[in-house]
Amino acid sequence: SQIYVACQNGRVDQALSLGFLLCWIAGDLTNFVGCYLTNQLPIQIVTAIFYVNMDIIMISQFVYYKLKNQKMTKCKIFQ
């Protein structure tokens, strides 16, 4: 739901910080590694992979909109 709303308004780079997103993915990656190393149930491993993938999507959105909004700002300055 947050990914969809972010696509609609295009303001991901103002709503979240990159540091927060990196801490978030670090936590989900350690969760995945812990699930894998301790032979947890397959559903737990799949859930951990799902969360890591969602984090990657959020970071990708952040970078995309950050670059897009910077480009738009530069275009407005030079007009």
Side-chain angles (χ1 to χ4, degrees):
S1 147
Q2 186 176 7
I3 294 171
Y4 176 74
V5 171
C7 283
Q8 279 186 324
N9 65 21
R11 299 288 181 192
V12 179
D13 59 320
Q14 294 176 357
L16 298 171
S17 72
L18 185 58
F20 174 74
L21 291 172
L22 293 177
C23 287
W24 203 349
I25 196 169
D28 288 337
L29 280 171
T30 55
N31 177 40
F32 168 70
V33 170
C35 285
Y36 182 77
L37 292 177
T38 57
N39 297 319
Q40 296 296 311
L41 294 173
I43 190 68
Q44 291 172 300
I45 294 172
V46 169
T47 302
I49 291 169
F50 173 77
Y51 285 138
V52 170
N53 285 328
M54 291 299 104
D55 294 343
I56 291 169
I57 290 170
M58 288 295 293
I59 291 171
S60 299
Q61 272 189 333
F62 177 87
V63 171
Y64 172 78
Y65 284 113
K66 185 77 166 177
L67 295 174
K68 181 180 175 185
N69 291 339
Q70 282 179 353
K71 185 177 178 182
M72 288 174 53
T73 302
K74 286 181 183 178
C75 289
K76 288 179 184 178
I77 290 172
F78 291 120
Q79 287 180 351

